[in-house]
Amino acid sequence: MSASIKAEEANELYADATTGGYIATIREDAGMTQSQLAEAVTFSPATLSRIESGDKLASQEEVSSILAAIGTPKAGELAEFLNQNWDEIARPTFDHPNRSALWEANLTLRKVSELRSDPNLKAVFLRQVDLYEEELRRVTKLLITRDHQMAFIGSIGVGKSTAICKMTGLIRSEEPKFDRQIVLETGAGGITLCEVHIAQGPQYGIRIVPRSEESIRRDVEDFSEYLVAQGRPPSASAESNNEEETDTLGLSKEVVRAIRNMSGMTERRRELNGRRIRLDPAKQLAIHLGNAQELCVHILTKMDLLRRNRRDAWYPANHPHPPHAWLQEIFAAINNGRHPEFTLPQKIEIVLPESVLNSQEIAIRIVDTKGIDQTAERQDLECHFDDPRTLVVLCSRFNDAPEVALQTLLRRAKDSGARDVAPKTILLVLARPEEALAVKHDDGIAVEDEQEGFELKRDQIRLRLNQQGLADISVEFFNAREERPDALRELLVRKIEEHRSYFADRIKRLSEAVDNLSNNRQDEQIRFVFEHVMSDLSVWVRSNREIELSQEGVQRPLVAAIDGTRYASTIRAAVRRYGDWYNLDYYHHLAFGVRRLAVEQIGARIEAFKVIVNNLLANDELSPAKEFLEGVNRRLDVLLDESYRRIQSAGRETFIQTLAKHSAFWDRCDVRWGQGSGYRIAIRDLTDQELQKESTELENLLLSLLSAEWESIMTAIEGMLENTEARPSVGSSIRQE
């Protein structure tokens, strides 16, 4: 490469609009004005101003002279950063919180490439090179991205939306009453229409992801059928002898409220003969029409979905009220279906111009999940335990902590093989002072103060969590009405930073392992140790190459979910949607069943293999292979995590293809409504029978799925242990984008 080309590439590193901003920050931290710095480097203040604003891209010589004139350690860091050659992973920003660890990863990956190019490197060491590189690239990929989520999960009415608003500053401080200060609409439960996200953006605003017209139509059909049934004479209801049909409406009350508002059919109140009476135009129309389908068409027409095509709104510069007041107003309008331009949302996103939770180095998105009503076994909740970038915040009432629904979620996360549940989960107990003071010791003596009550309650909670094998989950208390949020806010951000620190530490340890490998690659004794280790592990692989798999019991979670559903109308709502209903999702329960089979069969077999690995780790004579063996364990964890997610996803798709399209089955379930009591049991049995009837085809599909994953895992293990001549590494072709 010519000197001129190298010089051009070097200048490109400096020709970055962000560099000027870093220079301005470093100059200000040093207490220098633009005029003082310009004088020191013989630039005009106007030129320096253009460089700092990014209007002028400075050359390498100009940047070097500016940073030398500032002369602080931070200026030296920036100069060093700009001269670094990021050839293995993408160059991070200078203000990246883990920039040092990423640079170490880049240098280590460079060493890995050099080791691989050594023609004399023995195959036994090449396996280590492959393993270290793959782990380095995986950890680097997780660390280089600064985007993280905090998913708040809890029962309806538990107060999580209030706590979120307090922590994110979504508070109208000018309002005297606390309940009116909260920007997100709150109440006694059943208030928020859908999942709500809070993220940083260019300015104050609100965005939605709309629901499909088909899903809205289904909701209106359910509502119409309910209204018509309610309008029947008592004798007609008695003749049906189906008390389950009158238990409740399958739709949530917040959806019903939005449909009423969108169609202009809200209940009205008026005085009559000194009594306040309620008038329901929707019920009156249902009685008049007497037909659910006609009523549905009428309501959909009045909702005018075609006109409701707006997807976002931004705070107007000339608005008479402060931004938080505007957000409160427009959120309530969209959430209740009162805004004439917005349809029913699947997700609402609140956009703030400032960093969420005051986190400057990490971009945090808050997810306020839809409150748990009838069941916690929902895909939109359980998916968060699989995401390495998500901190799960389980919100519980004080007296019930940890609530049964949250214990169910934790148990299912464990059953599904989700890893690192404890480090990625916090139990947030939303408390009131009087509740803490009411706590008593085992001898019946009351606590002396609020703090003692919290500590005693924490011990009780840990005892329950220990029964789930999750005693290490952090337990925190927060009184949103009276406490300042600063400490909790810092704790949540620190929890994510600790998780990122683990990845940074992994890079450091992998760097040390690569150095050891480089230094010891000619040591015959160490080579013998590795060959011995790989030989022992290969014996297990050869004897376990084939595995007997079974799909028996895959439908048990679904059958149990139907059996445990509180309201028959919820089952009815799922049937009307061919099993795709958030409160009773056939395909989520079936996919969970497939994943649980994978944990019980594939996962258990791999855990047996890890016992052998751990026994080798405990042998002091094999200490040179310690990092490699630990790397094998970590690689197995990654393989299992990826496999479980693929199996669950593929299992869901398998059942959608075989069951969702079986209209005859759903018709049989549909007509069962209105044929007397026992609807829940009837649908449970019909579902179980249908899955049994399709068992041969399903067995072939599921066994093929499980077998393919086992084959993939075993091939990967063999790749870690094979003792052949040097081969190209799959990981060596991967680069960070």
Side-chain angles (χ1 to χ4, degrees):
M1 183 180 292
S2 69
S4 62
I5 295 177
K6 288 184 177 179
E8 183 180 343
E9 289 182 349
N11 278 328
E12 284 180 359
L13 298 179
Y14 290 84
D16 186 336
T18 62
T19 303
Y22 297 136
I23 290 174
T25 301
I26 292 170
R27 173 184 58 76
E28 291 168 358
D29 290 344
M32 296 179 71
T33 65
Q34 279 187 344
S35 298
Q36 290 172 329
L37 181 56
E39 184 178 349
V41 294
T42 66
F43 288 172
S44 70
T47 299
L48 183 59
S49 176
R50 290 181 63 215
I51 290 174
E52 290 188 351
S53 66
D55 292 337
K56 172 179 167 52
L57 299 180
S59 67
Q60 178 177 356
E61 183 180 354
E62 289 172 327
V63 172
S64 297
S65 63
I66 291 171
L67 294 175
I70 296 175
T72 60
K74 200 69 175 178
E77 283 185 36
L78 180 57
E80 181 183 4
F81 169 72
L82 292 172
N83 283 298
Q84 290 170 344
N85 178 22
W86 293 78
D87 54 343
E88 291 290 339
I89 62 176
R91 176 184 289 268
T93 57
F94 177 66
D95 60 353
H96 194 291
N98 306 104
R99 175 169 49 82
S100 297
L102 292 171
W103 175 239
E104 185 171 15
N106 189 88
L107 293 177
T108 305
L109 286 167
R110 194 183 294 170
K111 293 176 186 176
V112 165
S113 297
E114 294 169 358
L115 279 169
R116 183 174 285 105
S117 65
D118 182 358
N120 298 318
L121 186 68
K122 300 295 183 181
V124 67
F125 292 129
L126 184 63
R127 303 292 78 76
Q128 295 176 67
V129 170
D130 292 342
L131 186 65
Y132 296 157
E133 179 179 13
E134 191 162 8
E135 176 72 357
L136 269 167
R137 293 200 181 279
R138 184 187 72 85
V139 173
T140 299
K141 185 177 180 180
L142 290 169
L143 194 60
I144 200 167
T145 301
R146 293 195 272 179
D147 296 330
H148 289 266
Q149 284 191 157
M150 292 183 186
F152 286 72
I153 299 173
S155 302
I156 59 170
V158 74
K160 59 186 173 64
S161 296
T162 300
I164 287 171
C165 285
K166 193 72 177 287
M167 284 186 290
T168 57
L170 287 172
I171 297 291
R172 293 185 60 187
S173 55
E174 75 276 8
E175 284 286 348
K177 292 186 177 180
F178 179 75
D179 293 341
R180 298 190 64 180
Q181 293 176 0
I182 307 301
V183 169
L184 298 183
E185 196 173 7
T186 60
I191 301 298
T192 307
L193 190 60
C194 60
E195 190 171 270
V196 177
H197 291 215
I198 302 171
Q200 186 175 9
Q203 63 183 94
Y204 288 102
I206 190 165
R207 295 188 283 231
I208 74 160
V209 175
R211 287 182 53 185
S212 68
E213 290 192 15
E214 172 64 19
S215 69
I216 295 174
R217 183 180 64 82
R218 289 288 187 187
D219 286 353
V220 176
E221 286 177 350
D222 282 354
F223 182 45
S224 300
E225 188 175 89
Y226 171 78
L227 289 171
V228 170
Q230 291 292 304
R232 293 181 190 134
S235 58
S237 299
E239 287 174 6
S240 72
N241 194 30
N242 186 3
E243 295 179 359
E244 291 174 322
E245 289 189 31
T246 61
D247 54 12
T248 185
L249 174 61
L251 298 175
S252 63
K253 62 183 180 181
E254 52 268 38
V255 170
V256 171
R257 182 173 59 244
I259 290 173
R260 284 182 176 275
N261 284 325
M262 291 171 73
S263 61
M265 291 192 174
T266 56
E267 291 184 344
R268 301 180 180 88
R269 298 169 180 81
R270 74 175 189 184
E271 295 286 338
L272 181 64
N273 299 327
R275 293 171 51 242
R276 177 173 293 182
I277 62 172
R278 294 192 306 174
L279 300 176
D280 188 343
K283 282 187 178 181
Q284 291 174 345
L285 184 60
I287 293 171
H288 173 71
L289 295 176
N291 182 284
Q293 192 59 41
E294 287 186 38
L295 179 59
C296 175
V297 171
H298 187 92
I299 293 174
L300 284 170
T301 300
K302 290 180 70 66
M303 290 173 71
D304 196 7
L305 296 177
L306 288 177
R307 184 167 55 87
R308 297 175 177 273
N309 54 10
R310 191 171 177 184
R311 300 293 178 260
D312 57 33
W314 302 96
Y315 178 63
N318 58 350
H319 199 273
H321 301 298
H324 285 178
W326 174 82
L327 274 175
Q328 186 184 58
E329 178 184 352
I330 194 167
F331 177 83
I334 294 172
N335 185 57
N336 287 283
R338 294 198 305 262
H339 198 295
E341 298 174 89
F342 284 86
T343 185
L344 283 176
Q346 178 178 313
K347 180 182 81 174
I348 300 175
E349 182 181 58
I350 305 294
V351 182
L352 307 176
E354 62 269 9
S355 58
V356 178
L357 299 188
N358 294 340
S359 173
Q360 303 300 321
E361 296 185 331
I362 302 171
I364 294 176
R365 171 180 292 267
I366 299 290
V367 180
D368 185 4
T369 61
K370 189 169 173 59
I372 299 171
D373 184 6
Q374 300 180 40
T375 177
E377 300 162 354
R378 291 174 11 207
Q379 184 183 24
D380 63 309
L381 304 181
E382 295 184 324
C383 67
H384 294 298
F385 289 101
D386 269 336
D387 187 351
R389 300 188 193 284
T390 297
L391 176 68
V392 179
V393 184
L394 301 176
C395 301
S396 178
R397 295 177 179 86
F398 183 89
N399 291 329
D400 301 325
E403 294 179 20
V404 173
L406 303 183
Q407 293 184 55
T408 298
L409 277 174
L410 290 170
R411 185 185 68 251
R412 281 172 61 93
K414 189 175 180 181
D415 290 347
S416 69
R419 206 169 306 280
D420 299 329
V421 173
K424 296 188 304 182
T425 305
I426 285 180
L427 178 62
L428 181 60
V429 183
L430 300 174
R432 301 184 184 93
E434 62 269 19
E435 292 174 325
L437 292 172
V439 176
K440 294 183 178 181
H441 292 276
D442 291 339
D443 57 8
I445 298 177
V447 297
E448 294 184 0
D449 55 34
E450 178 183 321
Q451 192 57 41
E452 186 182 0
F454 285 156
E455 290 305 319
L456 185 55
K457 185 65 176 179
R458 181 180 277 110
D459 292 340
Q460 296 170 357
I461 291 170
R462 289 199 183 283
L463 186 61
R464 293 185 187 178
L465 291 175
N466 189 45
Q467 295 170 353
Q468 304 272 4
L470 294 165
D472 293 335
I473 288 179
S474 299
V475 179
E476 304 297 332
F477 296 87
F478 182 56
N479 175 9
R481 184 175 288 271
E482 298 180 6
E483 282 186 54
R484 287 184 57 83
D486 308 64
L488 178 60
R489 198 159 43 204
E490 292 171 6
L491 182 144
L492 293 175
V493 174
R494 187 166 62 249
K495 191 75 173 177
I496 292 179
E497 290 173 343
E498 289 172 359
H499 198 55
R500 293 179 63 86
S501 296
Y502 167 79
F503 297 136
D505 183 63
R506 285 294 311 129
I507 289 174
K508 181 179 180 181
R509 293 187 61 182
L510 285 165
S511 177
E512 293 170 352
V514 170
D515 285 340
N516 290 335
L517 174 59
S518 179
N519 295 333
N520 299 323
R521 55 183 154 168
Q522 303 300 330
D523 192 315
E524 287 298 312
Q525 185 175 358
I526 290 180
R527 182 172 69 85
F528 175 77
V529 167
F530 278 100
E531 288 179 343
H532 172 73
V533 165
M534 290 184 176
S535 175
D536 282 2
L537 296 178
S538 296
V539 170
W540 182 91
V541 173
R542 287 193 296 271
S543 61
N544 287 272
R545 198 65 181 73
E546 302 298 326
I547 183 175
E548 290 188 10
L549 297 165
S550 168
Q551 57 82 49
E552 184 179 353
V554 70
Q555 68 264 38
R556 281 203 298 266
L558 172 59
V559 172
I562 296 173
D563 226 10
T565 300
R566 182 178 179 184
Y567 298 119
S569 53
T570 300
I571 302 172
R572 164 72 163 161
V575 167
R576 290 176 65 91
R577 292 160 180 79
Y578 287 10
D580 188 7
W581 180 234
Y582 80 99
N583 251 342
L584 180 59
D585 186 339
Y586 270 51
Y587 310 108
H588 176 60
H589 289 293
L590 290 168
F592 179 84
V594 178
R595 176 166 174 162
R596 194 174 65 176
L597 288 178
V599 173
E600 293 172 353
Q601 299 175 49
I602 294 176
R605 189 67 64 95
I606 294 301
E607 289 302 319
F609 178 58
K610 289 173 69 174
V611 169
I612 299 174
V613 176
N614 291 332
N615 287 337
L616 294 172
L617 272 168
N619 188 339
D620 292 338
E621 295 181 358
L622 304 177
S623 59
K626 179 181 178 181
E627 183 61 38
F628 173 74
L629 290 168
E630 290 178 346
V632 169
N633 271 343
R634 284 188 294 272
R635 179 62 183 146
L636 290 173
D637 289 343
V638 172
L639 289 171
L640 281 177
D641 289 346
E642 293 173 346
S643 182
Y644 292 156
R645 287 194 288 270
R646 281 195 302 269
I647 284 173
Q648 185 168 10
S649 177
R652 181 182 180 89
E653 187 59 31
T654 295
F655 282 104
I656 287 175
Q657 293 298 323
T658 57
L659 192 60
K661 298 180 180 180
H662 198 334
S663 57
F665 162 69
W666 297 109
D667 288 344
R668 288 197 300 273
C669 292
D670 194 41
V671 298
R672 182 59 183 78
W673 185 259
Q675 293 183 1
S677 59
Y679 179 77
R680 180 186 294 101
I681 296 173
I683 300 303
R684 179 201 66 190
D685 293 344
L686 281 170
T687 301
D688 197 20
Q689 291 164 14
E690 181 64 25
L691 291 170
Q692 292 287 353
K693 188 170 67 175
E694 302 289 337
S695 61
T696 302
E697 180 183 357
L698 287 173
E699 181 177 4
N700 292 334
L701 288 170
L702 296 177
L703 291 183
S704 174
L705 175 63
L706 293 169
S707 297
E709 289 299 328
W710 177 251
E711 174 65 25
S712 175
I713 291 174
M714 291 302 289
T715 299
I717 294 175
E718 288 173 333
M720 287 188 282
L721 304 178
E722 66 181 1
N723 192 14
T724 59
E725 288 307 309
R727 57 181 174 79
S729 168
V730 174
S732 64
S733 63
I734 302 172
R735 292 293 180 268
Q736 297 293 334
E737 296 298 333

